[in-house]
Amino acid sequence: MARATHSFPDSFLWGTATSGYQVEGQSTNTDFWRWEQLPGRIAQGHKSGRACDWWEGGRWREDFDRAANDGHSAHRLSVEWSRVQPAPDRWDDAALDYYRQMVRGLRERGLTPLVTLHHFVNPLWVADTQRNLWESAEIVLLFAAYVRKVVGALGEFVNLWATINEPNVYMVFGWVNGIFPPGKKSIFAAMRVAANLLRAHAAAYCVIHELQPQALVGLPIHFRPIFPAHPDFWPDRWVAQTQFNLFSSLFPDAVRTGRLRQVLRPSLPIPEAKGTLDYFALNYYSADVTRFDLTNPRELFGRRSFPTDAEPDSSGLYASCPLGFYEALKWARGLRLPIYVTENGIGDETDGLRRRYLVTHLRQLWRAVNFNWNVRGYFHWSLVDNFEWERGWTHRFGLYALDTETQVRTPRPSARLYAEICKSRALSSDVVAQYTPELLETLFP
Ligand code: IFM
């Protein structure tokens, strides 16, 4: 077979994504650390512990070396609010300086940093009052002050920012199904939190642009296309649209219109949020099929499952559904903003599924780029296995396997596969033949 190549533009960013809590270790002054200590919260009682030892052991250096050697050109990381502002009246300049070293370290290795300012975790003082401060509008100015500090300190090296990671997941996990702290199950509290997340994002957007007019600011959305199980049956169509509107498109629509959709209430005007996105930050993992089910009010009377042709991971957290990725990109394109894929990946200890996941998803990404859609970068989740929240260490998302005892990293075949793609800025039939020969005919007919 003749060699065929799907090329990407030279300026396209190739990288991986991480978050502070999941890789740094010993994030003791946080609500999630306290949550981890409660029985039954984390699978098998796992603890984040030293995680990937980025903070105390400084192993971000060796991991950035890995990324650079593998030909990556970017990396997404997050700053932990609890380290920068351990108490309401105290800023930790040494912590800020350490983050500055990290982003400088990325630049020195030729990697473009994308920095997230909030990734699911709060300092204890934000979560430790009578009610979590995300339920109160007070959070907006507090978050803006923190953002000002971080952007002031890191701005010399960073101009790609993400304000709040997956506000849709954070709101649902923290306030609807209670999987994350504060562990509440109240749809009305969740709606208050959604409004405050949006206001805080808008305030952060203004602060960043005041300090850095040329910055690009995004709000990463965990985006799940939701298809009706029976497209001819209107209740299935209705429930699919409702779930989509209240999860995947809730925040992007609010930024577009300045109004936040509510459950059982008219939409809430938040005019300051209108237009506060410079790019769409797409986190895509899986798609869903949903059917109307009166017995499931918590999921808005729908019951979701994976599409029948999707390939689930070993525990059913996500499933490989590359066409869903294409649908997500197509939807995002409608926003008429540049797109960065800020997360995409699968937990797979043995790496068989991950290799297929990578090439089939990158093939869909290439289709989008080839149609001249404005997609500017791809950040694979993740570089090294890290602490997967309520799933603890049971879910391994890394291109590199991590031994948490010894901190030894071992490349999975996908690390080499991704390195070849990053270095050549292309997905070629040779690479597919080498790493996923079973897909060669399908991807390069
Ligand atoms: O690990 C998470 C990340 O923190 C947010 N997006 C999804 C990832 C995988 O579940």
Side-chain angles (χ1 to χ4, degrees):
M1 180 194 184
R3 186 174 199 277
T5 303
H6 293 334
S7 300
F8 288 75
D10 286 354
S11 59
F12 193 86
L13 292 183
W14 291 103
T16 54
T18 55
S19 87
Y21 192 86
Q22 292 176 274
V23 296
E24 287 174 1
Q26 304 297 336
S27 298
T28 53
N29 184 25
T30 63
D31 54 354
F32 211 93
W33 184 275
R34 185 176 53 188
W35 184 252
E36 271 184 42
Q37 317 310 313
L38 303 175
R41 298 299 189 196
I42 311 295
Q44 300 178 20
H46 285 171
K47 301 273 188 288
S48 57
R50 280 198 293 160
C52 307
D53 202 24
W54 276 26
W55 197 259
E56 290 182 356
R59 289 181 197 264
W60 52 271
R61 295 185 181 84
E62 53 166 291
D63 286 338
F64 292 178
D65 286 344
R66 285 188 178 89
N69 289 334
D70 286 350
H72 302 186
S73 53
H75 182 74
R76 174 178 173 222
L77 54 75
S78 81
V79 171
E80 266 307 310
W81 189 353
S82 65
R83 298 202 193 271
V84 170
Q85 193 178 9
D89 54 355
R90 194 151 62 81
W91 298 99
D92 186 334
D93 289 332
L96 267 173
D97 189 56
Y98 198 52
Y99 281 118
R100 214 176 124 80
Q101 286 180 42
M102 284 190 203
V103 291
R104 187 201 289 129
L106 285 171
R107 288 285 185 200
E108 284 165 357
R109 291 165 177 81
L111 299 168
T112 299
L114 191 164
V115 172
T116 311
L117 293 152
H118 184 277
H119 195 119
F120 296 161
V121 177
N122 297 297
L124 274 176
W125 62 268
V126 166
D128 224 13
T129 46
Q130 289 291 57
R131 56 179 188 156
N132 184 297
L133 285 180
W134 283 105
E135 290 178 37
S136 139
E138 268 174 81
I139 194 72
V140 178
L141 288 180
L142 295 168
F143 186 64
Y146 153 72
V147 169
R148 185 174 290 282
K149 270 277 181 198
V150 176
V151 176
L154 309 190
E156 183 186 344
F157 302 104
V158 182
N159 61 6
L160 256 181
W161 300 94
T163 53
I164 299 174
N165 184 67
E166 297 181 351
N168 52 342
V169 169
Y170 184 52
M171 161 196 92
V172 170
F173 279 26
W175 281 268
V176 179
N177 58 25
I179 289 176
F180 281 6
K184 292 202 178 165
K185 294 185 178 171
S186 156
I187 201 76
F188 295 105
M191 289 193 295
R192 273 203 305 282
V193 170
N196 291 328
L197 286 164
L198 188 63
R199 294 184 181 111
H201 157 78
Y205 181 91
C206 293
V207 168
I208 298 170
H209 275 288
E210 181 195 321
L211 298 176
Q212 250 193 0
Q214 81 290 5
L216 291 181
V217 181
L219 175 68
I221 300 300
H222 191 113
F223 192 94
R224 292 178 88 114
I226 305 184
F227 306 107
H230 303 98
D232 297 338
F233 184 52
W234 73 262
D236 283 3
R237 282 201 310 275
W238 174 81
V239 83
Q241 191 63 53
T242 308
Q243 286 180 331
F244 182 82
N245 288 347
L246 289 167
F247 186 72
S248 296
S249 76
L250 181 68
F251 285 93
D253 286 347
V255 171
R256 200 169 41 77
T257 61
R259 301 189 73 91
L260 183 67
R261 226 174 257 126
Q262 305 274 287
V263 178
L264 301 174
R265 288 180 183 163
S267 64
L268 185 70
I270 306 192
E272 68 271 31
K274 192 168 175 176
T276 55
L277 279 188
D278 301 317
Y279 68 94
F280 184 64
L282 171 64
N283 290 3
Y284 173 82
Y285 288 85
S286 270
D288 293 304
V289 163
T290 194
R291 64 192 66 240
F292 183 66
D293 181 350
L294 263 183
T295 66
N296 199 19
R298 199 158 278 285
E299 289 199 37
L300 308 161
F301 302 105
R303 193 158 297 274
R304 289 177 300 128
S305 52
F306 294 130
T308 40
D309 56 351
E311 194 179 356
D313 64 27
S314 58
S315 77
L317 175 60
Y318 300 124
S320 174
C321 180
L323 282 177
F325 189 31
Y326 181 76
E327 286 301 317
L329 290 161
K330 193 162 84 182
W331 187 91
R333 175 181 174 248
L335 298 173
R336 298 182 187 288
L337 291 170
I339 301 167
Y340 287 89
V341 178
T342 39
E343 288 180 27
N344 174 245
I346 194 98
D348 177 27
E349 176 122 43
T350 59
D351 206 50
L353 177 55
R354 182 179 295 100
R355 277 179 277 156
R356 286 193 294 283
Y357 187 98
L358 245 178
V359 299
T360 52
H361 285 71
L362 292 182
R363 156 84 193 199
Q364 297 303 327
L365 185 65
W366 173 80
R367 282 178 72 198
V369 168
N370 196 41
F371 292 152
N372 264 332
W373 300 357
N374 194 0
V375 192
R376 297 191 180 173
Y378 173 86
F379 294 81
H380 188 77
W381 186 276
S382 184
L383 182 58
V384 177
D385 288 341
N386 55 54
F387 186 73
E388 177 60 21
W389 309 113
E390 81 285 4
R391 307 233 168 195
W393 295 100
T394 62
H395 254 63
R396 302 291 181 139
F397 280 88
L399 295 171
Y400 286 80
L402 174 74
D403 179 328
T404 50
E405 288 301 309
T406 61
Q407 286 293 325
V408 168
R409 281 92 162 131
T410 310
R412 295 194 165 101
S414 289
R416 289 190 287 272
L417 161 62
Y418 191 53
E420 294 209 28
I421 293 168
C422 295
K423 286 178 183 168
S424 61
R425 300 189 209 94
L427 179 67
S428 71
S429 52
D430 288 354
V431 162
V432 172
Q434 188 182 345
Y435 290 92
T436 53
E438 71 279 16
L439 293 175
L440 190 58
E441 271 304 304
T442 326
L443 297 190
F444 293 91

